[in-house]
Amino acid sequence: MALAAEAGSEVRHPLTPLRYRVVGKRRETEDTVTLSLLPVDRPIALTRPGQFNMLTGFGVGEIAISISNDPAAEEPLEHTIRAVGAVSSALCQTPPEGVIGVRGPFGTDWGVAELSQTDTIVVAGGIGLAPLRGAIRALLERRRPSGKGHLLSVVVGARNPSQLLFEEEMLAWQRAGAHLQVTVDTARPGWSGPVGVVTDQLARVPADFSNAVALVCGPEVMIRYTARALVDLGMPRDHIRISLERNMQCGVGLCGHCQLGPWLTCRDGPVFTYDLRAEGILASPHR
Amino acid sequence: MADQFPQPGDDRGAAAGAARIVDGAGLDAVIRGLRGRGYRTVGPAVRDRAISLAEISGVADLPRGWHDSQSPGSYRLTRGTDREIFGWAVGADSVKRQLLPPREVVWRAGASDRLPREEGPAESVPLALVGVRPCEVAALRILDRVLGGGQVADPRYAARRQDLFVCTVECGSPASTCFCTSMGTGPGAESGFDLAITEILEDEEPRYLVRVGSDRGAMVLNEVESRPATPQDEAARQEVLDRAESQMGLRLVTDGLPELLERNLEHPRWDQVASRCLSCGNCTQVCPTCFCVSVEDTTDLGGTVERRRRWASCFEVGHSYIHGGPVRPTTRSRYRQWATHKLGTWHAQFGTSGCVGCGRCIAWCPVGIDLREEVSAIRAGDGLRAAGPRSGGG
Amino acid sequence: MAESIAELIGRHPVLEGLSPEDVEQVAGCSHNIVAEMGEILFREGDPATTLYLIRRGQVSLEIHAPGREPLVIETVGDGSVVGWSWLFPPYRWTLTGRVTATLGAVAIDGSCLRGKADADRALGYVLMRRFAAIMLQRLLATRLRLLDLYGDGAGS
């Protein structure tokens, strides 16, 4: 006897998504799109910046994508997706009013609630800025009542100026009081900003590194070198939070794909503290 | 971590009386009694020249007279004329397939409405496993933690597990590949069963010592003709277990094993084993605790979308794929992941080892890689590091 | 001018902590410069005579290729140093340096400094250690960028 349980009924399999409608679509770069999503039936639980959802392109497949805004503060769920594979391409091609599947939220978050009284350095590389966008917004929002005093520094690295995400919004962050440093790997003359790696920018961050907290997201190599540079600048390891990527197929610790040493990345991460153990695990190839 | 599933052995105080003795007819009555109570009875049977788990309706379906001979890379079944029913160690098939099917449709969604409709488990009939070894019971306990002990449980595993009746048979005939004594999971059964049987072969016709592990086990046994076990019967059982222990193959030394593996990730033995390993994933398919699954979506010609869940293996090159390529692109990294997870990091993740010592991964490895030998080689060379790739002079 | 050239050198992050005698030696080869945005500080192929300790502003290092727009491969800013070509023969610039934010720098004459370092090996060693540390940092940054981390797939 096959028991049919429809969306909206009580018992749901953890692999069953809820339907969300694309109510807004914004092209960020040549290959990256931000989708604004509202529930068709009922919503998933509140996603905190740093957490991720599993997004289904119906009939194509499902991938893990971090939330790119702060749903606690604003209504549509936003996911910024770079078209690199079959599923991400299908998601990026979903037309306005199209329906995708959403499961979540999963994993650990940036913990921004506890950072309103702390100097915070956000370091993002490439698409890694997307999972940090919600955290930056939340930090700017939370600081407003207490006024200035605590630094929010945003250090962004990208391949070239045309690959920069949220360019307009970065300027708004700057106007709202964030200290912004943007660097690219290569540029044509006319780009007035720095050309180089994000690690070279860190020394210019006007923070007391021993008391500040860093949120780091980007390619894993960039994360490793950024974390080491922060430690060299005097930041205690346990002040550094990093977001890691592994293959995820369930999001709830049942499929085994996101093994990373002692961790299940979906359950124990994706946001981890860069302690000595994490440093060792990241330094060991092929784990 | 609390076990969420009933562990019948834990309440033996209430249910357990003294052990009873039944004959072959009594064993048959136990199986028929379970069927009468609505259970689908699944137990050992000869399929494709191996002992597998299949639906059984009585003792006649059990593999009487069959014996196995196992060694690294080899499994052979032979038939004798004796009356022994449980004269073999485990085959390739394990309890995993009964509770976590190799393939399963999760939901289907229509082409137009995209509304996922879940396809429930086909079998709503409770399952009774009869004649499974104590190492299998241990595997169930591990799967309970993995699939049911976390924040989110696999609901289908949980549903099947909730009603599961376990009638285990203690092991009197381990294979050379067996090492349950190393992992503390056999050859005797101590908990986690409704009924535990020991086959005693002193006479031409075997007799069966039955111990009760739960109230429902007691109810099933009460309906069967039996006599109380005598001290001689108990001694005969002990003899079976002692003999099994003495026949066990190589040991796997577990002292400080997670730490040993963690500090030997660059040990040259990983290169050595990778030169033999075919990355075929047989070990993960036969392992009763390897739980990895992949999620696959398809669309049929009518546009109906289907999500399926299927067994996966960490030996598949795509298992660890992220944008840019697989995290573990080499056989070395994949074998190392499998072994260090199974014996090491499983503890950190689930509070237990992932290995029950059933030896299936040894017998069913096409090139005969013996996990016990790999671990002892690493232990013997604790701290050695691979030279790394050849450097071209200078 | 409130600060002497020696003071500027002694406080620059690259040479900070040098003994006053060593700073005086370097100062003897140096003068202060200001350059406006868009100015070419040096050109690929020209004789390389100068080392610039950047106090403030930014210099873009460009490579020109026929048929292509020039490519900015690196920028060097506050507190760092630009120009190594004066150190080794044939003393010619290998890149073009363009000012991309108004520049305040200490320009050190390369042959003058080479002469002093040759005559005073202890000074030469101290300077080499400082320059080697920066070169190592630049080399690492270059290696990281070789990975094209933000590209379409690591290394592919």
Side-chain angles (χ1 to χ4, degrees):
Chain A
M1 276 297 292
L3 311 165
E6 298 210 344
S9 70
E10 283 280 303
V11 185
R12 292 174 58 81
H13 194 283
L15 292 177
T16 307
L18 287 162
R19 296 184 299 178
Y20 270 68
R21 191 177 305 284
V22 175
V23 296
K25 188 173 174 179
R26 193 173 54 249
R27 183 155 291 280
E28 305 290 357
T29 70
E30 200 178 32
D31 58 5
T32 305
V33 159
T34 297
L35 299 182
S36 301
L37 301 162
L38 283 175
V40 173
D41 306 297
R42 59 188 178 85
I44 59 167
L46 183 71
T47 314
R48 291 187 301 278
Q51 289 189 299
F52 66 97
N53 290 315
M54 297 295 298
L55 304 188
T56 295
F58 280 102
V60 185
E62 194 181 39
I63 46 170
I65 302 282
S66 291
I67 190 88
S68 66
N69 65 340
D70 179 16
E74 48 202 323
E75 175 60 28
L77 211 58
E78 291 197 344
H79 282 281
T80 301
I81 306 160
R82 184 176 178 200
V84 290
V87 183
S88 54
S89 296
L91 290 168
C92 285
Q93 283 161 22
T94 309
E97 295 305 305
V99 171
I100 68 166
V102 179
R103 302 191 286 123
F106 302 124
T108 53
D109 63 278
W110 292 115
V112 286
E114 40 187 279
L115 296 180
S116 55
Q117 302 301 314
T118 313
D119 282 4
T120 307
I121 305 169
V122 171
V123 191
I127 190 73
L129 182 57
L132 285 161
R133 176 172 169 249
I136 294 166
R137 289 177 165 199
L139 286 169
L140 286 171
E141 195 59 38
R142 293 214 167 89
R143 263 146 225 250
R144 198 165 295 160
S146 59
K148 290 182 180 174
H150 294 286
L151 175 82
L152 173 61
S153 177
V154 179
V155 183
V156 174
R159 193 185 197 198
N160 57 54
S162 75
Q163 298 282 312
L164 280 169
L165 292 177
F166 316 127
E167 225 171 334
E168 293 286 311
E169 194 172 336
M170 281 198 268
L171 298 173
W173 297 340
Q174 199 168 29
R175 286 193 297 274
H179 181 267
L180 182 69
Q181 289 165 268
V182 179
T183 183
V184 295
D185 277 356
T186 51
R188 302 294 174 198
W191 166 254
S192 60
V195 176
V197 289
V198 285
T199 47
D200 285 347
Q201 293 298 316
L202 296 174
R204 298 156 188 272
V205 172
D208 168 10
F209 285 92
S210 58
N211 285 313
V213 165
L215 314 179
V216 187
C217 188
E220 197 164 304
V221 174
M222 169 262 175
I223 290 176
R224 282 208 313 265
Y225 282 90
T226 299
R228 284 180 203 159
L230 288 166
V231 171
D232 287 346
L233 287 164
M235 186 175 281
R237 277 188 177 74
D238 61 358
H239 288 201
I240 303 171
R241 299 174 194 176
I242 59 175
S243 178
L244 298 178
E245 181 196 4
R246 284 295 181 272
N247 187 315
M248 296 189 195
Q249 304 209 355
C250 74
V252 289
L254 296 174
C255 80
H257 281 271
C258 67
Q259 296 283 341
L260 175 53
W263 298 318
L264 292 166
T265 309
C266 73
R267 180 189 79 180
D268 304 312
V271 178
F272 292 94
T273 299
Y274 183 76
D275 53 17
L276 276 172
R277 184 162 78 147
E279 184 175 16
I281 287 166
L282 290 184
S284 161
H286 298 161
R287 285 202 83 171
Chain B
M1 202 180 317
D3 291 313
Q4 295 191 343
F5 299 98
Q7 297 291 328
D10 301 341
D11 62 0
R12 255 186 305 174
R20 313 282 301 178
I21 297 291
V22 302
D23 58 10
L27 190 57
D28 193 58
V30 166
I31 296 169
R32 281 185 287 106
L34 285 166
R35 293 178 75 79
R37 286 166 179 273
Y39 286 100
R40 191 169 64 89
T41 45
V42 166
V46 177
R47 294 283 186 280
D48 301 328
R49 291 187 289 164
I51 302 287
S52 294
L53 291 175
E55 181 142 2
I56 53 165
S57 48
V59 162
D61 294 330
L62 295 174
R64 193 189 290 276
W66 287 95
H67 301 281
D68 61 8
S69 150
Q70 302 193 44
S71 58
S74 170
Y75 176 97
R76 295 288 179 276
L77 212 50
T78 53
R79 185 161 206 181
T81 55
D82 55 290
R83 304 289 294 158
E84 189 177 6
I85 292 176
F86 301 104
W88 37 267
V90 291
D93 198 13
S94 79
V95 295
K96 176 172 78 175
R97 190 166 60 88
Q98 301 298 322
L99 292 138
L100 184 73
R103 275 178 283 289
E104 205 170 39
V105 173
V106 183
W107 51 259
R108 291 195 175 90
S112 53
D113 68 358
R114 301 297 203 208
L115 178 64
R117 293 173 175 84
E118 291 183 5
E119 298 279 320
E123 65 278 20
S124 52
V125 181
L127 176 68
L129 292 172
V130 178
V132 293
R133 295 301 192 194
C135 57
E136 300 270 84
V137 176
L140 280 174
R141 203 174 290 127
I142 292 172
L143 288 176
D144 287 353
R145 286 181 167 243
V146 173
L147 301 176
Q151 275 200 318
V152 176
D154 178 333
R156 297 191 182 171
Y157 176 89
R160 294 181 186 107
R161 183 70 177 97
Q162 200 63 43
D163 297 325
L164 183 70
F165 187 100
V166 178
C167 176
T168 184
V169 175
E170 293 188 310
C171 194
S173 36
S176 77
T177 46
C178 289
F179 56 105
C180 65
T181 45
S182 299
M183 305 314 294
T185 61
E190 278 162 26
S191 66
F193 55 79
D194 296 285
L195 291 174
I197 293 173
T198 317
E199 186 173 43
I200 296 169
L201 299 168
E202 286 169 351
D203 313 307
E204 195 177 318
E205 192 64 31
R207 65 182 191 279
Y208 300 90
L209 183 144
V210 188
R211 290 177 300 135
V212 168
S214 71
D215 290 336
R216 51 186 190 168
M219 278 190 279
V220 170
L221 185 61
N222 284 343
E223 291 164 10
V224 174
E225 199 173 307
S226 66
R227 65 164 174 81
T230 63
Q232 287 86 344
D233 295 322
E234 296 280 8
R237 171 189 171 235
Q238 196 53 53
E239 211 171 292
V240 168
L241 298 181
D242 290 347
R243 195 177 60 242
E245 282 211 48
S246 71
Q247 287 172 3
M248 210 58 66
L250 288 175
R251 280 195 74 80
L252 189 151
V253 180
T254 57
D255 298 338
L257 190 49
E259 298 76 16
L260 175 81
L261 295 172
E262 187 66 30
R263 68 174 176 264
N264 282 287
L265 294 173
E266 302 305 328
H267 196 285
R269 186 71 183 192
W270 302 118
D271 297 304
Q272 211 268 2
V273 69
S275 70
R276 291 178 290 148
C277 175
L278 307 177
S279 227
C280 69
N282 263 18
C283 49
T284 59
Q285 303 301 287
V286 298
C287 177
T289 69
C290 271
F291 61 91
C292 282
V293 292
S294 283
V295 178
E296 289 170 346
D297 290 6
T298 56
T299 316
D300 69 15
L301 288 174
T304 301
V305 174
E306 186 175 279
R307 174 160 296 173
R308 274 175 276 181
R309 181 191 89 1
R310 66 156 178 88
W311 282 2
S313 168
C314 54
F315 283 92
E316 295 170 283
V317 70
H319 189 269
S320 61
Y321 184 86
I322 56 173
H323 168 229
V327 173
R328 293 183 283 276
T330 60
T331 297
R332 173 188 184 273
S333 57
R334 295 198 288 276
Y335 185 90
R336 188 184 72 174
Q337 166 62 25
W338 176 71
T340 56
H341 183 226
K342 184 69 54 186
L343 298 171
T345 51
W346 203 293
H347 286 272
Q349 292 173 358
F350 305 113
T352 165
S353 171
C355 178
V356 297
C358 69
R360 286 182 175 94
C361 58
I362 302 169
W364 296 92
C365 174
V367 295
I369 294 169
D370 189 330
L371 182 62
R372 299 167 298 186
E373 284 179 2
E374 298 313 309
V375 170
S376 78
I378 284 170
R379 198 178 283 282
D382 188 1
L384 286 178
R385 291 175 73 84
R390 261 195 307 269
S391 57
Chain C
M1 294 299 278
E3 291 170 297
S4 72
I5 195 83
E7 279 170 334
L8 292 177
I9 291 169
R11 285 197 297 109
H12 193 277
V14 172
L15 296 182
E16 206 175 6
L18 250 62
S19 71
E21 297 75 33
D22 288 346
V23 169
E24 277 307 325
Q25 294 253 54
V26 176
C29 294
S30 307
H31 66 284
N32 203 10
I33 65 151
V34 173
E36 293 306 322
M37 196 158 148
E39 250 180 76
I40 301 288
L41 204 57
F42 47 85
R43 252 180 231 285
E44 181 182 339
D46 284 356
T49 52
T50 316
L51 163 74
Y52 298 96
L53 294 180
I54 299 179
R55 295 167 46 222
R56 58 188 151 73
Q58 179 176 283
V59 176
S60 285
L61 302 176
E62 297 176 3
I63 289 188
H64 297 256
R68 293 179 59 179
E69 272 189 88
L71 200 65
V72 179
I73 55 157
E74 190 164 26
T75 56
V76 184
D78 299 14
S80 195
V81 53
V82 65
W84 310 112
S85 301
W86 58 274
L87 260 172
F88 304 106
Y91 311 120
R92 289 193 181 280
W93 292 110
T94 54
L95 297 164
T96 296
R98 186 196 302 269
V99 176
T100 44
T102 305
L103 188 72
V106 174
I108 307 175
D109 181 88
S111 63
C112 170
L113 195 60
R114 279 204 311 271
K116 291 195 178 176
D118 285 340
D120 179 351
R121 294 300 168 98
L123 170 68
Y125 179 69
V126 166
L127 292 175
M128 272 303 176
R129 277 186 63 115
R130 298 296 177 104
F131 295 151
I134 296 171
M135 287 169 142
L136 182 66
Q137 193 188 339
R138 298 268 173 88
L139 179 61
L140 174 64
T142 305
R143 285 170 170 167
L144 282 176
R145 286 196 289 160
L146 265 180
L147 290 171
D148 190 17
L149 288 175
Y150 314 129
D152 288 332
S156 62

